[in-house]
C-alpha cells in the first residue's frame, strides 16, 4: 500500500474498479501521505479526513460502479471552489469562516463520478499571484526543493499532486495559474478553452479569463478528470453548449505524424540575450520538441507579435474585473465584518481593509483606477482592443499549425522571497497569459529536470478553441516517449 | 503614467479601502511602476478595432422566466455576520 500515492489516477481508478483496493484504503493512503509530508510541504488549507473516510465507506458498501469513472478516487480542490458544508477560504482572511451552502458545478460533477474530495488546497489569496506566497495563511513549499515556490496561484494543487497526497487536484487558471504550478512542481495541468467547464461556484477573479482545470501525474489522468468536469451548465451562461468529445478515445495514437507544431519566435527568446530563456529551460523544451519531430510531427515557425504587450493587456483586464468582482465582499452577507463600525460605508471600508491582503488591495485599486472616468479609454478600453489583436495573432498562427509549443516560464521555480516586487512577479507570466486573453486551451506537461537547478521543467502546448482532444492525444504520445518523470525526494 | 499619493488615496476610498500613510507611499511607487508598464499599450494602433470583452461572444443566453426556489432563507443567512434570523443586519442608515 505504501506506494499507492505514487500511482497515477488512471492506475488507482482501475485498481478501485477491479476491487483490488477499497475506496477506504485509497483515501487512507492519501491521508497517511498527507500526515507524513504536509508538515514540510504545507499544500493544504483544510483536510476533510473523517468526512472523506465516511464517504469512502459508503462507496465501499455499494461496491465499484463502472458508470462512475472516478469511483473512490481521492482528490483535492483548490480552496476557491465552493464546497457545501466545507469551509471555502480563497486563502483570504476575509472568508476564514465561510461555509458555502452549495457545491460548485465541478464539485457536483466529481461527486457524481464517484470521486472523494479529501482536502482543500492552498493558493494565492483570491488567486492573485504566481507563487502561492500571497496566501493569507501560509506559504506552500515546492516538493522538489522546499526553499522554492510551487508557482501560483494553484500552488497548493500543484504541490499536493507532486507530493503524492492525492490522485489529482483541480486548479483554476486566470493567467497561468494551473500551468505555472504544474511546470514548477513537475505535474501535468490543463487549462480548458474558456467556456468548456462551468465556473459556477468558482469564486470569481477575472470572469472573462478564469477557467477550472485538472492537475495530475499524467496526461491521461487530466483527460479523465476533464471528461467528468467539461460541458454546458445552465448555471453559467458562458459555458458553451457544444458536445464534449471522448478525450480518452484519442489517446492511443502511435506517433505524431500529420501534426504540425508552431514554434512562436517570441516564446523562444535567445538564452544569450536579456529577457531570454534560462539555458536549462531552453534545453529541456528543445529536446521535447525534437522528440515530437522524431515522432513524426512537423515544426514551423509562427509569429505571436504582440507577446510583449500581453502582460500589460492582461493585468489591466484582470485587475478591472477583479475590482468589480471583489466589490461583493462587503461584510454584510458573508465573510469578515469589522467590529465597531458606526455607519454603513465605514463598515464596508473597515471590513475590506482588514480582510484583504496587500496584493488583493493593490489589484482592486489599479482595477478601479483603470475603470475610472478619464482613464477608462486609455487603459481598459485600449486593453480590450489589444485583446482582440492578440486573439487575431493566434487565429493567424493556427492557419499554419495545429498546436503551438513553447516553455511555460523562462525559468524553473524560484526561491521563496526572491521576487518581492509586484511588477517583477507579473512579468514571469509572459508565456501563459495570452492564452487566457484569447480564451484558448493550454497545458503544461513535465519534460524533465533542469541541468542547473535540478527542478522540473514544463512544456506548454496551446491549441485552437475546443482542441483539448488533439492537445491531450499529442501530449500523451509525447509523454509515453519521454523518459519517465522522477518523483520528488520527499 | 505616474500616479500621485492623493490619487491613490482617492481611488482606494472609492474602492472602500483605507490606506495608512506608509501603505499609500508604498502603493504609490508600486502602482506607478505598474501603470508605466501598462502605458506600453499606447504604442499600438488600435484605430477601428472592435474591443473584445470576452472570448465567448455568442448571443446572450436567456433562461425560462420561471420562479425557482433553490435555497432556503436559513441557508442564505447562514454565513451572515449579523442577522435577526430573518434579515441581514446593517448599521443604521437613516
Amino acid at each position: 500500500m505504501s506506494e499507492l500515492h505514487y500511482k497515477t489516477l488512471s492506475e488507482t481508478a482501475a485498481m478501485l474498479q477491479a476491487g483490488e483496493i477499497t475506496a477506504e484504503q485509497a483515501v487512507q493512503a492519501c491521508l497517511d501521505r498527507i500526515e507524513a509530508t504536509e508538515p514540510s510541504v504545507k499544500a493544504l488549507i483544510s483536510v476533510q479526513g473523517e468526512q472523506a473516510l465516511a464517504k469512502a465507506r459508503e462507496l465501499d458498501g455499494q461496491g465499484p460502479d463502472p458508470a462512475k469513472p472516478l469511483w473512490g478516487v481521492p482528490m483535492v480542490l483548490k480552496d476557491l471552489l465552493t464546497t457545501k458544508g466545507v469551509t471555502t477560504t480563497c486563502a483570504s482572511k476575509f472568508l476564514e469562516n465561510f461555509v458555502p451552502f452549495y457545491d460548485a458545478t465541478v464539485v457536483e460533477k466529481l461527486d457524481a463520478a464517484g470521486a472523494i474530495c479529501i482536502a482543500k488546497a492552498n493558493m494565492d489569496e483570491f488567486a492573485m499571484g504566481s507563487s502561492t506566497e500571497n496566501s493569507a495563511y501560509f506559504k506552500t513549499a515546492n516538493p522538489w526543493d522546499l526553499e522554492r515556490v510551487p508557482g501560483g496561484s494553484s500552488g497548493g494543487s500543484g504541490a499536493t499532486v507532486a507530493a503524492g497526497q492525492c490522485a489529482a487536484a483541480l486548479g483554476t487558471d486566470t493567467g497561468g495559474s494551473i500551468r505555472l504550478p504544474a511546470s514548477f512542481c513537475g505535474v501535468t495541468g490543463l487549462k480548458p478553452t474558456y467556456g468548456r467547464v462551468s465556473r459556477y461556484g468558482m469564486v470569481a477573479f477575472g470572469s472573462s479569463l478564469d477557467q477550472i482545470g485538472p492537475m495530475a501525474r499524467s496526461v491521461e489522468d487530466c483527460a479523465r478528470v476533464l471528461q467528468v468536469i467539461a460541458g454546458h451548465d445552465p448555471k453559467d451562461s458562458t459555458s458553451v453548449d457544444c458536445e464534449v468529445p471522448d478525450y480518452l478515445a484519442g489517446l492511443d495514437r502511435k506517433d505524431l505524424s500529420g501534426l504540425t507544431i508552431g514554434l512562436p519566435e517570441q516564446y523562444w527568446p535567445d538564452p544569450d540575450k536579456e529577457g531570454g530563456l534560462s539555458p536549462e529551460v531552453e534545453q529541456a523544451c528543445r529536446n521535447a520538441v525534437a522528440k515530437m519531430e522524431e515522432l513524426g510531427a512537423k515544426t514551423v515557425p509562427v509569429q505571436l507579435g504582440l507577446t510583449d504587450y500581453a502582460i500589460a493587456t492582461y493585468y489591466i483586464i484582470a485587475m478591472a474585473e477583479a475590482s468589480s468582482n471583489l466589490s461583493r465582499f462587503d461584510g454584510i452577507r458573508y465573510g469578515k465584518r469589522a467590529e465597531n463600525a458606526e455607519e454603513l460605508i465605514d463598515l464596508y471600508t473597515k471590513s475590506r481593509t482588514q480582510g484583504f491582503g496587500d496584493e488583493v488591495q493593490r489589484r482592486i485599486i489599479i482595477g478601479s483606477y483603470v475603470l475610472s472616468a478619464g482613464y477608462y479609454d486609455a487603459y481598459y478600453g485600449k486593453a480590450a482592443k489589444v485583446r482582440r489583436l492578440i486573439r487575431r495573432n493566434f487565429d493567424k498562427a493556427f492557419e499554419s499549425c495545429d498546436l503551438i509549443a513553447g516553455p511555460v516560464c523562462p525559468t524553473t521555480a524560484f526561491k521563496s522571497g526572491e521576487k518581492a516586487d509586484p511588477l517583477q512577479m507579473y512579468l514571469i507570466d509572459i508565456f501563459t497569459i495570452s492564452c487566457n486573453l484569447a480564451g484558448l486551451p493550454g497545458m503544461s506537461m513535465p519534460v524533465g529536470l533542469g541541468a542547473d537547478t535540478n527542478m522540473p521543467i514544463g512544456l506548454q502546448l496551446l491549441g485552437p478553441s475546443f482542441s483539448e482532444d488533439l492537445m491531450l492525444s499529442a501530449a500523451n504520445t509525447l509523454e509515453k516517449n519521454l523518459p519517465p518523470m522522477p518523483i520528488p525526494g520527499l | 503614467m505616474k500616479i500621485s499619493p492623493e490619487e491613490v488615496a482617492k481611488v482606494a476610498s472609492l474602492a472602500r479601502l483605507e490606506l495608512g500613510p506608509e501603505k499609500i507611499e508604498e502603493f504609490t511607487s508600486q502602482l506607478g511602476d505598474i501603470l508605466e508598464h501598462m502605458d506600453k499599450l499606447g504604442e499600438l494602433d488600435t484605430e477601428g478595432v472592435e474591443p473584445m470583452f470576452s472570448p465567448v461572444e455568442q448571443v446572450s443566453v436567456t433562461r425560462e422566466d420561471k420562479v425557482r426556489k433553490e435555497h432556503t432563507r436559513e441557508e442564505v443567512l447562514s454565513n451572515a455576520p449579523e442577522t435577526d434570523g430573518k434579515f441581514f443586519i446593517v448599521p443604521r442608515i437613516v
Side-chain angles (χ1 to χ4, degrees):
Chain A
M1 287 305 297
S2 63
E3 294 297 301
L4 190 58
H5 47 259
Y6 288 128
K7 296 201 180 302
T8 62
L9 174 148
S10 307
E11 290 166 335
T12 302
M15 288 169 76
L16 284 158
Q17 287 287 354
E20 289 167 30
I21 53 166
T22 63
E24 186 177 351
Q25 285 172 324
V27 168
Q28 191 60 55
C30 289
L31 295 176
D32 291 347
R33 181 68 178 163
I34 287 171
E35 205 181 314
T37 54
E38 195 52 12
S40 55
V41 177
K42 299 169 81 107
L44 308 172
I45 288 185
S46 60
V47 180
Q48 288 75 49
E50 284 311 310
Q51 209 171 314
L53 285 169
K55 170 88 185 290
R57 287 181 202 118
E58 189 191 318
L59 287 179
D60 284 331
Q62 297 157 0
D65 182 351
K68 294 183 172 175
L70 300 177
W71 189 90
V73 171
M75 288 188 63
V76 168
L77 305 170
K78 187 175 183 178
D79 206 19
L80 53 39
L81 298 170
T82 57
T83 40
K84 188 173 181 173
V86 174
T87 317
T88 300
T89 66
C90 296
S92 179
K93 289 285 175 197
F94 201 101
L95 294 176
E96 197 166 10
N97 302 310
F98 176 56
V99 182
F101 52 84
Y102 61 95
D103 277 328
T105 296
V106 290
V107 176
E108 274 181 0
K109 287 187 166 197
L110 288 180
D111 186 57
I116 302 174
C117 299
I118 58 169
K120 306 287 299 277
N122 198 20
M123 52 185 282
D124 287 297
E125 184 177 359
F126 287 107
M128 297 179 183
S130 307
S131 64
T132 315
E133 291 169 294
N134 291 337
S135 166
Y137 299 104
F138 45 81
K139 296 179 171 107
T140 294
N142 191 310
W144 292 84
D145 176 349
L146 300 173
E147 287 185 4
R148 293 178 189 265
V149 302
S153 65
S154 310
S157 301
T160 191
V161 172
Q165 296 177 343
C166 57
L170 290 187
T172 64
D173 190 315
T174 305
S177 284
I178 285 175
R179 289 160 288 155
L180 187 70
S183 175
F184 280 9
C185 294
V187 304
T188 304
L190 188 149
K191 179 206 98 75
T193 308
Y194 184 82
R196 180 75 288 180
V197 175
S198 167
R199 292 180 294 111
Y200 180 78
M202 169 190 175
V203 179
F205 160 18
S207 304
S208 79
L209 305 156
D210 299 335
Q211 269 291 286
I212 302 164
M215 301 178 76
R217 287 188 290 272
S218 80
V219 175
E220 183 182 339
D221 290 359
C222 285
R224 286 182 191 277
V225 176
L226 181 63
Q227 195 76 54
V228 168
I229 62 174
H232 175 64
D233 175 14
K235 289 175 176 166
D236 173 5
S237 64
T238 63
S239 71
V240 177
D241 196 359
C242 70
E243 204 189 328
V244 178
D246 183 342
Y247 295 118
L248 294 166
L251 294 186
D252 57 358
R253 66 188 294 162
K254 285 190 295 293
D255 58 26
L256 299 178
S257 55
L259 202 67
T260 306
I261 306 290
L263 304 175
E265 186 191 311
Q266 295 78 7
Y267 282 27
W268 296 87
D270 193 338
D272 293 332
K273 294 200 178 123
E274 203 196 330
L277 299 176
S278 73
E280 58 175 359
V281 168
E282 212 235 0
Q283 192 57 49
C285 291
R286 289 263 179 229
N287 287 348
V289 170
K291 181 58 81 179
M292 292 174 101
E293 287 173 325
E294 209 179 287
L295 290 163
K298 201 174 103 185
T299 55
V300 295
V302 293
Q303 295 298 324
L304 293 174
L306 292 167
T307 301
D308 268 356
Y309 298 92
I311 287 175
T313 308
Y314 170 80
Y315 276 98
I316 291 171
I317 290 169
M319 290 178 185
E321 293 184 5
S323 74
S324 171
N325 274 325
L326 270 63
S327 63
R328 74 189 56 167
F329 296 103
D330 55 9
I332 291 170
R333 290 155 304 149
Y334 41 77
K336 181 162 181 72
R337 179 172 179 135
E339 307 278 336
N340 308 322
E342 302 270 309
E343 37 166 9
L344 196 59
I345 300 229
D346 195 34
L347 175 69
Y348 296 153
T349 305
K350 285 204 166 95
S351 301
R352 290 163 64 81
T353 304
Q354 292 169 18
F356 292 146
D358 277 2
E359 182 59 21
V360 175
Q361 297 200 20
R362 259 192 296 276
R363 294 196 190 196
I364 290 174
I365 293 170
I366 300 188
S368 306
Y369 184 79
V370 300
L371 286 174
S372 61
Y375 297 108
Y376 179 96
D377 287 339
Y379 288 104
Y380 184 70
K382 183 82 181 179
K385 290 180 176 180
V386 178
R387 183 178 192 179
R388 168 89 53 201
L389 298 178
I390 288 172
R391 168 73 197 214
R392 285 185 194 155
N393 257 202
F394 278 107
D395 291 345
K396 177 89 180 129
F398 285 124
E399 283 174 14
S400 61
C401 65
D402 302 304
L403 296 170
I404 282 172
V408 175
C409 181
T411 65
T412 57
F414 47 89
K415 294 207 165 136
S416 182
E418 195 179 309
K419 293 195 192 293
D421 173 59
L423 183 58
Q424 289 312 311
M425 188 70 91
Y426 302 163
L427 296 178
I428 68 168
D429 297 339
I430 177 89
F431 302 140
T432 51
I433 52 184
S434 298
C435 158
N436 301 74
L437 288 167
L440 306 174
M443 69 184 291
S444 169
M445 59 181 293
V447 292
L449 298 179
D452 301 324
T453 57
N454 215 31
M455 293 298 289
I457 292 170
L459 178 77
Q460 178 172 228
L461 296 174
L462 301 172
S465 295
F466 301 104
S467 65
E468 288 87 349
D469 46 353
L470 177 68
M471 186 180 291
L472 286 162
S473 79
N476 187 61
T477 306
L478 176 58
E479 180 196 87
K480 296 280 174 277
N481 285 279
L482 287 172
M485 191 64 186
I487 47 174
L490 265 179
Chain B
M1 183 179 304
K2 282 291 166 199
I3 185 167
S4 68
E6 293 73 27
E7 278 178 301
V8 171
K10 178 164 177 267
V11 179
S13 91
L14 291 173
R16 304 291 178 239
L17 294 169
E18 195 172 20
L19 305 181
E22 276 174 29
K23 193 122 287 179
I24 289 183
E25 194 182 327
E26 182 194 335
F27 276 22
T28 301
S29 146
Q30 289 171 341
L31 303 195
D33 289 348
I34 294 165
L35 287 167
E36 198 175 303
H37 180 80
M38 290 173 169
D39 286 336
K40 201 176 163 61
L41 297 190
E43 295 166 11
L44 293 173
D45 180 9
T46 51
E47 188 67 38
V49 176
E50 189 67 23
M52 174 173 167
F53 296 112
S54 168
V56 174
E57 297 188 295
Q58 284 110 331
V59 197
S60 286
V61 183
T62 52
R63 61 172 160 72
E64 211 184 338
D65 187 14
K66 211 168 144 187
V67 177
R68 290 173 305 170
K69 189 169 179 180
E70 291 184 1
H71 306 298
T72 63
R73 178 185 291 256
E74 196 187 6
E75 284 175 329
V76 173
L77 290 173
S78 63
N79 275 288
E82 204 178 332
T83 81
D84 64 356
K86 281 185 176 170
F87 298 103
F88 299 109
I89 301 296
V90 296
R92 193 180 176 90
I93 30 183
V94 282

